[in-house]
Amino acid sequence: MPPDPARPSPGYAADIPDDYDRWFGKPGITGATVDALAALAGRGPVLELGVGTGRVALPLRARGLAVHGVEGSEAMLRRLRAKPGGEGIPVTVGDFADVPVDGNFSLVYLAGGTFAELPDQAAQIRCFRNAAARLAPGGLFVLDAHVPEALAAAGTEIVAEGEDLLVLCHRRLDTAAQRYHSYYVIHEGGRTRQLRVAFRYAGHGELDLMAAQAGLRLKERWGGWTRAPFTADSTYHVSVYERP
């Protein structure tokens, strides 16, 4: 991966698969995500863009839904395949902005802030357009994202902790470029390492405009995967777009 400041650090895709579930696979968050998506999916099939280690896709499949995935990291895909049931999820390796799959889906979704990993507005617009093309009539495109104003006010947070583990995250915004970097400090086994991941953020108004350009309309917006109302105090949102 080239040393482009708009992209994750070169070791990101290789380093994160073994750690991702330990750091981010919190049962309450994952359970709420799966519950919400299952309620939206109807009879399926569904497509996850950036399927990663299968944190969300595998529980959805366990509920009887046909789940497909797109993933850009071979290392992430190997981690998925090593899990029980992981071989049963068809995955296309490629850029998820291109949605490089055939067929129609009742639901296309991204979770865990994955949409913001697309490096620029052009890629994000392409993702909306290509996702819309893969939706059956009445199908839904769902993504989650931070509220930019809340990102600007956020301090350092504890991502994960244990007897011999501490993962801290500090986000730094570049408002002129509409980007932020997440700087992780990981202390484990008496060793400390760092990781930097880059994102391109977009406010919900900009996302709604991208959706409209792709022929989608906003159906619902929640303040999180628990489907709490989206209010002026929300720091996060889940946006549900519909193909008419």
Side-chain angles (χ1 to χ4, degrees), residues 10 12 44 49 51 53 81 93 98 112-113 117 119 131 155-156 206 216 233:
Y12 171 66
L49 304 181
V51 68
T53 66
R81 293 296 188 224
V93 177
D98 295 330
E117 292 183 23
T156 301
E206 183 181 356
L216 304 176
D233 296 324

Side-chain angles (χ1 to χ4, degrees), residues 149-170:
E149 294 80 1
L151 273 175
T156 301
E157 67 175 279
I158 297 175
V159 175
E161 59 182 332
E163 185 174 338
D164 191 32
L165 171 68
L166 180 63
V167 182
L168 302 177
C169 176
H170 177 74

